[in-house]
Amino acid sequence: RSLEGRAELLGLSSCAEQRQFYSMTHWWRDGGGGIPMPSYKRTPYFQTFPSLTQQGDFTEPLAITSDELLKHARGSGDDCVVRKVEALVDAEGKDFIGADLELLRNEFFGMLDTVPVSKETHRSSQAFLKENAEGKNVYMQLGWLDAVSFGLGHFTNFESQKFRSFEVVPQLHGFDHLLTVGVLDLRPGGTKPCTPLH
């Protein structure tokens, strides 16, 4: 809901110390780009708007745009659904910054799914925190699962490599992932050959 919250989530990221590869999370920590909204795990649109899944030929496509969703909402004649989809489209357009808390709770913590470890089905499965042997919370189903990275040290033979951008596109509903687009600038011609792993 805020840029500060995204920075806090990034600080809790479990891949902070991996240095064989340089990912977008390292780039953000180094001040290279703005931290986008999490790309995983989003409540599928057909759970949020079940009345729209059986409209004529419109039956749960795996991916749909927000514009298509709004078109089907308006075609349903249900003013309540139209207002909810319009609110979602508005929040997406603002990258969910300052979004209504109930909308955020539903979009990122309201999916009906199996809870890890317990195998129970629950409406807020994304909010389940898995604990390690010491009883510390180590895993929540929220973050940037869809990643772009490049190799470091023996894992590259490029002369130079750097991030240009990394974006999350919330206007495409693809089951429980959001579309991510990462752009790298790579210059071939490094002098060292890649070292094979044994």
Side-chain angles (χ1 to χ4, degrees), residues 84-105:
K84 287 180 178 180
V85 174
E86 287 174 341
L88 176 60
V89 169
D90 181 61
E92 289 172 342
K94 296 174 183 170
D95 201 30
F96 286 91
I97 299 294
D100 176 73
L101 288 177
E102 187 58 35
L103 186 142
L104 279 176
R105 189 174 295 117

Side-chain angles (χ1 to χ4, degrees), residues 22 45 58 81 89 116 134 147 149 154 184 187:
Y22 188 86
Y45 74 91
F58 180 64
V81 172
V89 169
E134 291 84 43
S149 62
H154 294 295
L184 301 175
R187 178 178 291 162

Side-chain angles (χ1 to χ4, degrees), residues 141-154:
Q141 295 186 70
L142 178 70
W144 299 275
L145 183 67
D146 307 290
V148 173
S149 62
F150 54 79
L152 298 172
H154 294 295

Side-chain angles (χ1 to χ4, degrees), residues 8 17-18 108 136 145:
E8 184 178 347
E17 299 306 317
Q18 302 222 359
F108 292 98
K136 294 181 181 178
L145 183 67

Side-chain angles (χ1 to χ4, degrees), residues 7 16 47 51 57-58 69 103-104 112 127 131 155 172-173 176 190:
Q47 287 187 12
S51 64
D57 294 334
F58 180 64
L69 197 56
L103 186 142
L104 279 176
L112 179 63
E131 296 177 347
F155 290 94
L172 183 68
H173 301 257
D176 60 358

Side-chain angles (χ1 to χ4, degrees), residues 103-160:
L103 186 142
L104 279 176
R105 189 174 295 117
N106 182 65
E107 284 298 299
F108 292 98
F109 299 101
M111 182 178 181
L112 179 63
D113 198 10
T114 303
V115 175
V117 181
S118 75
K119 304 302 180 205
E120 292 180 31
T121 300
H122 196 272
R123 171 96 14 226
S124 58
S125 64
Q126 299 110 307
F128 175 83
L129 293 173
K130 184 175 178 182
E131 296 177 347
N132 65 12
E134 291 84 43
K136 294 181 181 178
N137 294 327
V138 295
Y139 173 72
M140 182 170 66
Q141 295 186 70
L142 178 70
W144 299 275
L145 183 67
D146 307 290
V148 173
S149 62
F150 54 79
L152 298 172
H154 294 295
F155 290 94
T156 186
N157 63 355
F158 285 102
E159 183 176 316
S160 69

